[in-house]
Amino acid sequence: MTMITILNEQRETQFPQAETRGDSLWLGREAIKQATGWTWKPEGLCQDDTCVPVPQSSTSLVRDGMLDIAAMWRHMGYPVAHDASASTWVLGTGSARRADALNTLEAPDFELPDLDGRMHRLSDYRGKKVLLATWASW
């Protein structure tokens, strides 16, 4: 069985028990929670106060206690991509959520070492002015 890597938000999880077929990615309840932070409940896929019902007309999304999370992700309007071997999947963030993040003008948190090797998180400086200098070789 091939190890499947799923990238979502700030997560990277690996699952030997995931099943793929074409553009379908089948996960069980615990794997969905671990990979995405969403919980698969009887009322649908839920996160915080938001629940998105699994379409009743589409019984092809559920089988043998597993959910085609890629199809459900697309149903919710979120982007999905995978490599040619279907061993790495990206479950993207929806445009509305990305727009909300841009409207707050709050940068996503990250952690980097300084020249002495001490780690610094951007969130440690919230409320203070911070200059981020970036560089790329291309």
Side-chain angles (χ1 to χ4, degrees), residues 2-135:
T2 303
M3 181 71 70
I4 303 296
T5 301
I6 300 172
L7 307 171
N8 174 257
E9 303 275 334
Q10 302 298 320
R11 295 182 178 89
E12 177 180 336
T13 48
Q14 295 184 332
F15 299 99
Q17 73 277 17
E19 188 179 322
T20 64
R21 183 170 298 140
D23 286 333
S24 296
L25 173 61
W26 297 92
L27 296 176
R29 292 180 193 280
E30 287 302 313
I32 290 170
K33 176 77 172 169
Q34 187 179 355
T36 68
W38 288 73
T39 304
W40 182 18
K41 298 179 178 181
E43 55 267 33
L45 207 54
C46 303
Q47 186 179 52
D48 301 324
D49 293 335
T50 304
C51 280
V52 180
V54 175
Q56 296 299 322
S57 61
S58 181
T59 55
S60 62
L61 288 181
V62 179
R63 101 176 155 188
D64 300 326
M66 298 180 91
L67 177 68
D68 181 355
I69 192 67
M72 187 65 190
W73 219 248
R74 287 184 204 97
H75 171 73
M76 295 189 316
Y78 296 167
V80 176
H82 62 82
D83 63 356
S85 66
S87 61
T88 302
W89 290 74
V90 177
L91 302 177
T93 304
S95 60
R97 191 165 178 183
R98 288 191 314 269
D100 288 345
L102 288 174
N103 287 335
T104 67
L105 296 178
E106 188 171 297
D109 197 23
F110 59 89
E111 184 176 29
L112 293 171
D114 62 17
L115 294 175
D116 295 323
R118 291 184 313 249
M119 298 302 288
H120 297 271
R121 295 184 69 81
L122 182 61
S123 60
D124 294 340
Y125 300 95
R126 294 272 188 239
K128 299 177 184 175
K129 292 182 181 181
V130 176
L131 171 67
L132 296 176
T134 61
W135 175 84

